Structures are given as C-alpha cells and as structure tokens.
Amino acid sequence: MLGNYFIVNVKVGFTSNEKPLSIETTVNYEVLLEIVKNNFTIPKYLLEEVVQSIESETKVRYPQISYLFVSIQKNNPPLSGEIEHSEVSLEKRYE
C-alpha cells in the first residue's frame, strides 16, 4: 500500500446510559486514529482485510458501541480506466 493515498472514515454509535459522559466512558477519537494508523503499518493485500481489522480492534477496545461504519477510499487505483477512487466499506450493528 506504500505510495498510495487513502481516505478513511470511521463512524461509531452508542446508546446513552444517562450517566455523565467523559472521555473515559465514551469513544476517544485519538484512540480510533491510532487503531487506523496501526492497521496501515501492517502489510495486507486487500483493503477488506484492513476494514475488518479496524472493526474488530475497535469493538474490542470499545465494547459499548452499538454501531460501527468503516470505509477506506483508495485514490487513483491502478485500473485500466480513469478512476478517481475505489472504496471498501463495512457497516455493523451490535446487539
């Protein structure tokens, strides 16, 4: 994946438990950024693998989330036509 440019989107949802929210009881986006960055340091052949790994690590770190959406856009993919980007996404709802 070296030499390519990617746009990563991560959205999470949670159910309010009426307790006061703090950085310790909710999702810290700095931690999400680290999860994403770490997954781009591990060589993987498919973007689908990266998306799945981000999903599983995020759910382990934040078991309280009820929804997760992860997408990765690869800019200027090496295809036989003029393509702006390709995209892989994963959307998941948890019980």
Side-chain angles (χ1 to χ4, degrees), residues 25-63:
T25 62
T26 191
V27 177
N28 182 333
Y29 277 87
E30 283 189 69
V31 174
L32 285 181
L33 178 59
E34 286 304 312
I35 290 171
V36 169
K37 288 166 86 175
N38 289 340
N39 273 280
F40 274 86
T41 63
I42 303 165
K44 293 186 172 112
Y45 186 69
L46 299 172
L47 288 179
E48 290 84 351
E49 291 179 276
V50 180
V51 166
Q52 287 176 327
S53 183
I54 291 169
E55 181 272 329
S56 63
E57 287 183 40
T58 302
K59 184 59 176 164
V60 166
R61 177 64 177 88
Y62 297 107

